[in-house]
Amino acid sequence: MAVMTYREALNLALREEMRRDPRVFVMGEEVGLYEGAYRVTQGLLKEFGEKRVVDTPICESGFTGVGVGAAMLGLRPVLEMMTFNFAILALDQIVNTAAKMLYMSGGQYNIPLVVRGPGGPAAQLAAQHSQSMETYFYHVPGLKVVRPSTPADAKGLLKSAIRDENPVIFIESETLYAVKGEVPDDPDFTIPLGQAIVRREGTDVTVVAYMGMMYRAMEVAEELAREGMSVEIVDPRTLRPMDTQTIVSSVRKTHRAVVIEAGAGFAGMGSEILSFITEQAFDDLDAPVERVTGENAPMPYARNLELLKTPSKAKIAAAIRKVCNA
Amino acid sequence: MAQAKTTILSPRLDAVLARRLLGQMALIRRFEEKAAEMYALGKIGGFLHLYIGQEAVAVGATSTLRPDDYAVSSYREHGHCLAKGSDPRRVMAELFGRRDGLSKGKGGSMHLFDKSVNFLGGHGIVGAHLPLAAGAGFAINYQGGDQVVLCFFGDGAVHEGEFHEAMNLVALWKLPVIYICENNRYAMGTAIHRALAQTEIWRFAETYGIHGEAVDGMDVLAVRECVGRVVERARRDKTPALIEARTYRFRGHSMRDPAGAVYRTREEVEREKQRDPIALLTARGLKDGVLSEADVRAIEQNVADAVDEAVAFAEASPEPPASFLFTDVYKD
Ligand SMILES: Cc1ncc(C[n+]2csc(CCOP(=O)(O)OP(=O)(O)O)c2C)c(N)n1
Ligand SMILES: [Mg+2]
């Protein structure tokens, strides 16, 4: 085990996979000479050269299409979206081309492609640069969608994503790049896609949360523990395929659930998690499941308004108290 | 990756070449006519875009390729798929939505794929496969190969940003991709001058500093000569090119626009049909004495038989089983 930042863990995953498999290459805006807008690809150009660390013009749709075409011929592209907000320009390539190629070709052409970069609420970046982007992707059959919350997950899941035979949307977070944690040194360490993890064991209520919201829920759980409440926290890690089993098992144990989501609540991830909990564990529930979501407004710039946009600790605590006292 | 070089083309038309080109064009024509019949009978559903009138482009262009070269096209791709060497029986079965279709019946007319002949697909989003072709070119260079990619698309794709992104990328990175714009002068009902500020499409090549050229897309030999040159250069020097093949679709945009007559005049269509690419090659072959009337009749008979056989094969092929709904969504 080594202690490293989330950013370093991603960088290490890229290096290890590029060393392991010559078909893997990195492509995107500012990934080479500039070393990545968020320094995730730092040093890669030096180690692997221009052939495998490819700076592109500002053309998300174009270079994503290049990735898909290269994958059809057997390469394993890892594309960086400078931030995931810009991935919407490549939405057609991702949704209509990458995700459906295997199906439309009757199994002839799979697309082993990773599209990675930061997304989600960031610090005062305002409406166009600070939003939960997973919503645009996890609806689509043919895509896998990962949201890694810790440095170890970042490394283990990115390596699995690169080795996967399908297009994987891998959304990191600007706000987590500097988070430190223990990361296994073993270059064969991977975390399978589609496995949730229990971050904190508890007996009174299950809280489902990922990325920044997971950390916020952990803080709330510690505070509520002082009041004698025992909160279990489950982090799905992969949103598609979703490990419903780990979440439902936890709810069967605690009989109560709160689902947290940073993005706007309407038709969000929280709705989906809430519905499978209700479908599969209704009889085990002692209270209606609560959802705590981002507000249904674009992200404001002003710090005070920005704080109101995403679920606060107070709102999370209130929801937990509500289901526990029901 | 060492490969035998294709021979440089002779502008002369010999008997073998004449029969081959005419045979392929006639096959596509007959296939498309039959597909229209089958559509009328309800055997084929959805959108069906016929290639009738444009056969010389697919046939002339792919005739310059090696089997390990790649081709990719839009939704009007039956001709390119057949010209690249796909089995007409499996193409027809795909149109019928049957299990033995190229894509197991899951793609249909607009999504023919055939890995066995390096046909990278029929794509339904206008412009979206142009970057894909660049990606194939990127992979060829990455892998150290000397194959080339032919990318076919309509004049409508030139309206899209992805055309320009792809041109920039292949030029910037020197990718062995030949973009072949089949300018049939209409994108659905929109005549080219109503949509493009620059209607001389080949001129966009100048902007990106690559080779551009317009060619008579009704003359299979002219297409073959022009594409053959740029293919050889792409193979040797990794230089992309943009070819504008001037052509015309004799039928409507799709079977939902059977007459194709609202946005163009009947006189115009009749005039263009005077330059039927199959008739032009036949006349040239007969005149040069490399084709006989008997050759032409034999070719017509052969393709009629092949297409009948394709229909029989498609009819006999079972529908895909219900379990196929869920296969090929993800690869393990
Ligand atoms: C992105 C996108 N926009 C619109 C359409 C609908 N559409 C299908 S074909 C077509 C016209 C394309 O014309 P052109 O590229 O000239 O090809 P042609 O049909 O003439 O072969 C349009 C607008 C589409 N398939 N994709
Ligand atoms: Mg057109």
Side-chain angles (χ1 to χ4, degrees):
Chain A
M1 288 281 185
V3 173
M4 65 180 78
T5 63
Y6 184 98
R7 171 188 286 113
E8 288 162 345
L10 291 166
N11 183 274
L12 187 57
L14 289 170
R15 275 177 204 277
E16 287 178 0
E17 292 308 300
M18 289 178 80
R19 285 174 193 152
R20 180 179 163 271
D21 185 346
R23 298 170 302 172
V24 177
F25 69 95
V26 168
M27 175 179 273
E29 293 155 19
E30 310 291 0
V31 295
L33 204 55
Y34 192 87
E35 304 205 292
Y38 290 92
R39 298 288 180 273
V40 172
T41 55
Q42 194 156 38
L44 294 188
L45 178 63
K46 195 156 171 245
E47 179 170 352
F48 299 102
E50 283 183 348
K51 179 183 164 188
R52 298 181 67 196
V53 182
V54 185
D55 279 325
T56 68
I58 309 162
C59 55
E60 290 75 11
S61 185
F63 77 70
T64 303
V66 167
V68 177
M72 289 180 88
L73 267 66
L75 301 187
R76 305 183 82 85
V78 180
L79 306 180
E80 175 169 306
M81 290 294 159
M82 187 179 283
T83 81
F84 248 85
N85 306 282
F86 316 139
I88 321 183
L89 278 87
L91 200 58
D92 176 62
Q93 287 293 348
I94 295 169
V95 172
N96 267 324
T97 309
K100 292 166 186 165
M101 192 82 78
L102 183 67
Y103 202 76
M104 294 192 301
S105 69
Q108 296 180 80
Y109 286 104
N110 66 301
I111 307 298
L113 172 79
V114 177
V115 184
R116 54 151 291 276
Q124 280 195 284
L125 296 186
Q128 294 181 333
H129 288 75
S130 180
Q131 56 188 322
S132 293
M133 298 303 297
E134 60 268 36
T135 321
Y136 297 92
F137 302 100
Y138 58 58
H139 185 68
V140 183
L143 294 181
K144 297 186 178 182
V145 180
V146 180
R147 296 240 51 201
S149 306
T150 67
D153 284 6
K155 183 179 180 208
L157 289 165
L158 182 55
K159 286 164 71 78
S160 291
I162 293 171
R163 296 182 192 189
D164 203 274
E165 296 298 333
N166 304 283
V168 181
I169 305 300
F170 191 96
I171 310 180
E172 303 150 11
S173 169
E174 286 99 323
T175 60
L176 297 183
Y177 281 138
V179 166
K180 283 189 177 163
E182 292 205 325
V183 176
D185 299 314
D186 180 3
D188 285 325
F189 160 73
T190 59
I191 297 170
L193 303 187
Q195 266 186 20
I197 187 169
V198 177
R199 294 274 178 216
R200 183 184 196 282
E201 297 211 17
T203 51
D204 294 337
V205 55
T206 298
V207 171
V208 185
Y210 55 90
M211 308 301 280
M213 290 300 116
M214 186 278 288
Y215 290 97
R216 204 165 281 183
M218 289 290 253
E219 288 175 28
V220 172
E222 293 309 320
E223 288 165 21
L224 293 179
R226 280 176 236 130
E227 296 174 24
M229 255 183 261
S230 170
V231 178
E232 176 146 308
I233 295 181
V234 185
D235 181 346
R237 304 201 283 195
T238 304
L239 304 183
R240 186 176 191 130
M242 171 73 72
D243 178 2
T244 55
Q245 209 187 335
T246 298
I247 295 170
V248 169
S249 306
S250 170
V251 174
R252 291 218 166 98
K253 181 179 83 176
T254 63
H255 307 290
R256 292 178 163 85
V258 173
V259 181
I260 308 172
E261 152 178 41
F266 187 84
M269 193 74 246
S271 321
E272 183 63 30
I273 295 173
L274 189 149
S275 41
F276 73 71
I277 290 175
T278 334
E279 282 160 5
Q280 295 181 35
F282 187 77
D283 290 339
D284 297 286
L285 288 170
D286 288 345
V289 182
E290 276 290 311
R291 249 182 346 140
V292 190
T293 75
E295 301 298 342
N296 286 290
M299 185 65 79
Y301 165 72
R303 186 70 188 133
N304 65 320
L305 295 180
E306 186 184 49
L307 287 171
L308 294 173
K309 161 71 177 152
T310 48
S312 63
K313 277 167 52 175
K315 278 190 188 161
I316 295 168
I320 294 173
R321 286 204 183 86
K322 185 176 167 196
V323 294
C324 287
N325 297 330
Chain B
M1 221 184 277
Q3 294 281 350
K5 295 272 182 240
T6 32
T7 46
I8 298 294
L9 304 165
S10 144
R12 262 194 30 248
L13 182 62
D14 63 36
V16 175
L17 180 63
R19 275 190 227 127
R20 180 172 139 218
L21 297 177
L22 186 60
Q24 281 199 335
M25 288 202 291
L27 174 69
I28 295 169
R29 175 70 56 92
R30 185 73 201 119
F31 185 96
E32 296 292 64
E33 288 168 351
K34 187 61 97 177
E37 270 176 53
M38 294 297 118
Y39 190 88
L41 292 176
K43 305 270 186 191
I44 298 172
F47 291 142
L48 179 69
H49 311 87
L50 301 178
Y51 195 58
I52 294 176
Q54 303 182 204
E55 294 91 341
V57 184
V59 170
T62 55
S63 76
T64 67
L65 295 185
R66 293 192 318 225
D68 64 335
D69 289 326
Y70 296 87
V72 61
S73 180
S74 69
Y75 49 84
R76 196 182 297 287
E77 89 285 32
H78 308 169
H80 311 103
C81 187
L82 290 168
K84 193 72 179 70
S86 291
D87 180 348
R89 297 176 310 163
R90 298 200 59 206
V91 179
M92 191 63 87
E94 188 58 37
L95 269 48
F96 274 51
R98 299 300 170 89
R99 181 187 180 130
D100 298 298
L102 285 174
S103 298
K104 303 178 188 163
K106 298 204 259 191
S109 161
M110 296 188 285
H111 307 304
L112 301 172
F113 289 81
D114 192 347
K115 202 169 188 171
S116 71
V117 300
N118 281 353
F119 184 64
L120 300 173
H123 298 270
I125 306 298
V126 170
H129 68 289
L130 278 71
L132 232 66
F138 178 90
I140 289 168
N141 283 1
Y142 191 97
Q143 293 161 340
D146 73 339
Q147 303 99 311
V148 301
V149 185
L150 293 191
C151 177
F152 298 91
F153 55 98
D155 44 290
V158 181
H159 317 174
E160 287 278 7
E162 279 180 311
F163 168 87
H164 301 274
E165 293 187 21
M167 281 307 120
N168 185 46
L169 290 174
V170 294
L172 191 67
W173 292 343
K174 301 198 172 18
L175 305 178
V177 184
I178 316 296
Y179 285 102
I180 302 181
C181 179
E182 301 193 44
N183 179 6
N184 58 15
R185 310 214 302 258
Y186 294 89
M188 289 183 73
T190 301
I192 184 166
H193 66 270
R194 296 176 57 220
L196 283 177
Q198 169 57 274
T199 55
E200 302 266 311
I201 289 169
W202 65 276
R203 285 189 183 278
F204 285 107
E206 292 171 351
T207 308
Y208 297 103
I210 64 175
H211 179 77
E213 194 172 333
V215 65
D216 179 358
M218 296 314 217
D219 180 346
V220 68
L221 297 174
V223 174
R224 180 174 151 83
E225 188 277 326
C226 165
V227 176
R229 257 189 295 112
V230 292
V231 160
E232 283 315 305
R233 198 154 48 196
R235 210 186 287 298
R236 203 177 52 232
D237 305 332
K238 304 290 179 196
T239 41
L242 170 64
I243 304 301
E244 175 190 348
R246 295 186 172 151
T247 182
Y248 200 80
R249 70 170 150 70
F250 292 171
R251 301 289 181 101
H253 169 69
S254 74
M255 295 303 288
R256 308 232 166 138
D257 167 39
V262 181
Y263 48 86
R264 52 186 197 180
T265 63
R266 195 171 297 279
E267 294 70 43
E268 177 184 305
V269 177
E270 286 314 312
R271 190 171 63 242
E272 295 300 330
K273 281 184 178 171
Q274 299 307 306
R275 299 203 69 238
D276 183 319
I278 295 180
L280 289 182
L281 178 67
T282 307
R284 163 87 192 264
L286 292 173
K287 184 170 125 272
D288 286 9
V290 294
L291 283 176
S292 67
E293 297 283 356
D295 289 333
V296 176
R297 275 196 304 277
I299 285 170
E300 277 169 6
Q301 191 57 53
N302 284 347
V303 300
D305 291 348
V307 170
D308 286 346
E309 208 189 307
V311 169
F313 177 86
E315 292 270 21
S317 174
E319 290 179 339
S323 63
F324 277 26
L325 179 61
F326 300 110
T327 56
D328 307 319
V329 179
Y330 294 98
K331 183 171 172 167
D332 291 334

